[in-house]
Amino acid sequence: MFKVKYLAAGATALALMASTAMAEKVLRIQSVLPSTADEVTMLNEFGKDVAALTGGSLTIEVLPAGAVVGPRDIMDAVDAGLVEGGFAWTHYWGGKHVAANLFGAPVAGAGVGLDNIAFLSWFQYGGGKELYDRLWDEMGVNVKGFMLQPVGPEALGWFPKPIESMDDFRQMRFRAPPGMVGAAYADIGVPAVAMGGGDILPALEKGTIDAAEWCCPKPDSVFGFQKVLKHYYLQGLHQVVVNADMYVNRDFYDGLSDLEKKALEVAANASLSKSLSYRIFENGKALKDLTDNHGVILEDTPADYFTEYMAAANNALQAAADENAFFAEVWQSQKDFADTVVPFWAGAQASNAGLGKAHADTLK
């Protein structure tokens, strides 16, 4: 009899535990992108990992751009608890705090040669994450952030004809990213215009702009830029590093269990690796399709672009550091890290790039 009662009590306890575990919390994340975007594909992968790690007690629901608020209002909506989470690129919030640029799109590799992989090393092991966690308080928002998706290096962009020098570039009304990255273009005389991804193709078709950048071969081809422009430049400095992240209302986050919080952390770390891997393969396939089937011509970026843009980037970085103490602290951390890491990593990557180019040249 005792054994039966014990088993019954145990079964009841297990049932209660299962019920509690399945008391589902839903984290609604509004993206700045439509549901068809590659970033949303990987955001859904992140959500699957979170659900699996929590046994279904925390699930992610991804909402497309405009579902609750406009893209530029996502941070305010998360801060106020109107939606539990948001997804965008960190530098979108450079208007709230200039240091957001150093986490989302440190212009020209922060001026010290950081690429997207070296940036992740700084973020995970060089003190970057601790500074990132402070960003939201510096910004004055009730948010917990999670970096999820490294995107760069981004292509310089699409042009209606070859550009032989920066003088040619300066004749083009050019869609550029917002914030410090776009401001550097303006500083070197490029008529830079910021607009959302979905607005670029209509603007090109109407002649409102002449040339444009968005990201990389796969996302660019999804937007259809190849329908209007055929000259594509891969090598650029403006967004060598680009990071998309998730913002969770801090009150919602504080209400999660320790296991659920750890699941978000673990799934976010997995997303950093998975997103890099996904991007390399998808962009490779897309570039081959663009050149093989859509008449796209790969061009070499003019040499004077690199010197002019780097000078403008360094001026912008120094000016921001002079004006904002937290920006200066983050940038100094990146510079100190680069002094140690870049000599090794750049040297290793130079040989890797040479090997890769040798193979690529055999395919032409």
Side-chain angles (χ1 to χ4, degrees):
M1 180 66 71
F2 176 79
K3 184 176 182 180
V4 172
K5 287 182 178 179
Y6 178 80
L7 290 173
T12 302
L14 288 172
L16 286 171
M17 289 172 64
S19 175
T20 301
M22 294 307 292
E24 184 179 302
K25 300 175 186 131
V26 180
L27 172 53
R28 297 176 304 153
I29 303 173
Q30 185 186 312
S31 170
V32 294
L33 295 164
S35 58
T36 54
D38 268 7
E39 291 85 353
V40 175
T41 297
M42 296 312 296
L43 187 56
N44 284 321
E45 284 285 314
F46 165 79
K48 291 175 184 176
D49 286 344
V50 170
L53 289 167
T54 62
S57 70
L58 177 62
T59 59
I60 306 293
E61 179 184 350
V62 180
L63 306 177
V68 179
V69 296
R72 296 294 177 181
D73 297 322
I74 285 177
M75 182 61 75
D76 291 335
V78 176
D79 178 38
L82 185 60
V83 64
E84 295 83 22
F87 176 83
W89 292 273
T90 328
H91 58 285
Y92 269 36
W93 319 114
K96 291 183 177 293
H97 198 295
V98 66
N101 290 287
L102 288 175
F103 295 99
V107 61
V112 289
L114 294 181
D115 67 3
N116 55 351
I117 297 176
F119 178 93
L120 284 185
S121 179
W122 170 76
F123 180 75
Q124 293 186 306
Y125 292 102
K129 186 178 184 303
E130 291 75 15
L131 292 165
Y132 177 80
D133 287 341
R134 287 173 51 195
L135 174 65
W136 316 108
D137 288 338
E138 293 281 341
M139 197 180 288
V141 292
N142 187 37
V143 158
K144 168 70 174 174
F146 292 88
M147 196 168 288
L148 298 185
Q149 295 183 24
V151 176
E154 293 197 355
L156 176 66
W158 298 80
F159 293 81
K161 58 184 180 181
I163 52 173
E164 304 296 335
S165 68
M166 282 304 300
D167 288 337
D168 292 340
F169 198 167
R170 280 186 272 267
Q171 306 308 309
M172 308 281 180
R173 291 164 296 177
F174 182 66
R175 186 277 169 189
M180 189 173 288
V181 171
Y185 274 119
D187 288 346
I188 58 177
V190 174
V193 181
M195 63 179 65
D199 298 324
I200 298 173
L201 183 60
L204 289 169
E205 291 173 331
K206 294 175 185 176
T208 307
I209 57 174
D210 304 302
E213 73 81 54
W214 174 248
C215 177
C216 322
K218 174 65 181 295
D220 290 2
S221 64
V222 170
F223 277 121
F225 304 150
Q226 68 275 12
K227 298 174 185 176
V228 179
L229 304 176
K230 300 297 184 183
H231 298 274
Y232 195 30
Y233 290 75
L234 288 179
Q235 298 82 25
L237 287 177
H238 63 292
Q239 288 186 322
V240 179
V241 179
V242 193
N243 296 298
D245 48 9
M246 173 183 71
Y247 325 104
V248 180
N249 176 271
R250 187 78 203 202
D251 295 333
F252 180 90
Y253 176 79
D254 288 342
L256 299 177
S257 69
D258 288 345
L259 184 147
E260 289 162 343
K261 291 176 182 176
K262 176 57 73 171
L264 289 176
E265 177 187 339
V266 170
N269 285 334
S271 180
L272 294 173
S273 171
K274 290 166 75 173
S275 295
L276 275 175
S277 303
Y278 177 83
R279 287 285 187 173
I280 290 171
F281 189 35
E282 290 299 309
N283 282 322
K285 291 188 293 183
L287 184 62
K288 188 176 189 308
D289 179 59
L290 287 168
T291 55
D292 287 356
N293 302 317
H294 298 277
V296 171
I297 303 166
L298 289 181
E299 306 281 7
D300 290 327
T301 302
D304 57 349
Y305 162 83
F306 297 100
T307 54
E308 290 195 29
Y309 193 86
M310 181 60 81
N314 280 319
N315 289 338
L317 289 161
Q318 188 60 58
D322 291 342
E323 293 177 6
N324 186 275
F326 183 63
F327 184 100
E329 182 181 354
V330 175
W331 191 33
Q332 188 62 53
S333 175
Q334 292 177 339
K335 289 191 288 185
D336 291 343
F337 176 85
D339 287 349
T340 299
V341 169
V342 166
F344 154 70
W345 188 236
Q349 290 298 89
S351 59
N352 290 344
L355 287 170
K357 187 175 187 304
H359 178 69
D361 288 345
T362 69
L363 306 177
K364 293 179 180 178

